[in-house]
Amino acid sequence: RVSGLQVRYSLQLIAKTAWSIGRTRPLLCYFSIAQSGPALVRDVALLVLIRLARVPCLIHLHGSVLPSRLAVGIRGAVLRTLLPSGTWIALSPDIAATFPANWVVRSVRNPLPDQVERRKQIDRPGVIRVGWLGLITASKGVDLLIDAVDALAQAELTLAGEWGAMAPPPGTVRYLGRLDRDRALQFWADKDVYVLPSRYPEGLPLTILEALEAGVVVAATT
């Protein structure tokens, strides 16, 4: 099922992308593509738009599900045919080994530190400051997070990032909007917990790595 909210968000995103490309004429687009369903259709339309503008594109595919997608019967064969075989970067040698033999794949170590220590101390006893940074959608479980924090008097939730196809938050939620790089790197400075209740399998998102390096406790689904 496709909701009216998803359709409106998709059309707004396509229009915003077209306007941004026409205004800035970027040398390169970095694009994180959805995994399935209506969002995948939307993202394919966005990729076509970017390529029609003759802008080179760095495509980010979800590493935790890509190997199984490539290996599945007819669908895997179609995917292997459609995806470019140029140069791929994988954060795991195990995932790199699952790519077709004729693809150029470079394995780059995931930047997670060898040892992560909790350097922060909660300075407001009795108050837990929960943070969310990234795409705000129901597929990421942000609605579950909002409901959970709303039920806890001692918890405060701050959201930042792109507001996707999801209803506006209640008044109890603080939303900072999209952050530039400097503000994003400072986002975790006063947070205690990052909760990622995603409804689909995650890999190891950069937001988790950044939160860990800031000494923030992370709670996440598989």
Side-chain angles (χ1 to χ4, degrees):
R1 288 175 53 186
V2 182
S3 68
L5 192 61
Q6 288 175 313
V7 172
R8 286 196 301 274
Y9 173 71
S10 297
L11 293 176
Q12 289 172 357
L13 193 58
I14 292 172
K16 185 162 58 175
T17 300
W19 180 82
S20 179
I21 290 176
R23 182 177 64 89
T24 64
R25 302 302 302 175
L27 299 177
L28 177 72
C29 282
Y30 171 83
F31 194 88
S32 180
I33 195 168
Q35 302 307 298
S36 60
L40 178 58
V41 175
R42 175 203 67 206
D43 286 354
V44 169
L46 285 169
L47 283 174
V48 170
L49 178 64
I50 293 169
R51 298 303 293 139
L52 286 176
R54 298 183 180 277
V55 177
C57 192
L58 175 62
I59 303 173
H60 177 182
L61 291 174
H62 208 284
S64 64
V65 298
L66 182 60
S68 62
R69 294 277 175 85
L70 291 171
V72 175
I74 296 177
R75 187 175 66 177
V78 171
L79 190 59
R80 290 193 298 272
T81 301
L82 292 178
L83 288 175
S85 58
T87 300
W88 289 79
I89 300 172
L91 297 182
S92 162
D94 294 336
I95 290 180
T98 66
F99 281 57
N102 62 323
W103 288 16
V104 179
V105 184
R106 301 183 185 276
S107 179
V108 178
R109 182 182 179 276
N110 200 308
L112 181 66
D114 292 329
Q115 292 182 336
V116 177
E117 298 178 359
R118 178 159 174 76
R119 300 186 297 272
K120 296 178 57 173
Q121 297 293 327
I122 296 177
D123 57 9
R124 293 167 58 193
V127 178
I128 300 175
R129 293 166 298 191
V130 182
W132 171 274
L133 179 61
L135 180 61
I136 301 170
T137 62
S139 64
K140 292 282 188 179
V142 183
D143 56 325
L144 302 175
L145 177 57
I146 291 174
D147 290 343
V149 171
D150 196 46
L152 297 172
Q154 71 271 34
E156 298 175 354
L157 175 60
T158 302
L159 304 174
E162 174 79 18
W163 197 278
M166 206 178 83
T172 55
V173 175
R174 183 183 179 209
Y175 175 51
L176 302 181
R178 298 182 64 179
L179 306 181
D180 59 26
R181 176 175 173 78
D182 290 338
R183 292 177 65 203
L185 292 175
Q186 290 297 317
F187 178 78
W188 300 111
D190 62 348
K191 304 298 183 296
D192 303 310
V193 183
Y194 173 33
V195 183
L196 178 59
S198 185
R199 286 185 166 91
Y200 64 86
E202 293 283 350
L204 191 56
L206 288 176
T207 50
I208 284 184
L209 301 176
E210 292 165 357
L212 287 173
E213 290 211 86
V216 174
V217 172
V218 174
T221 47
T222 303

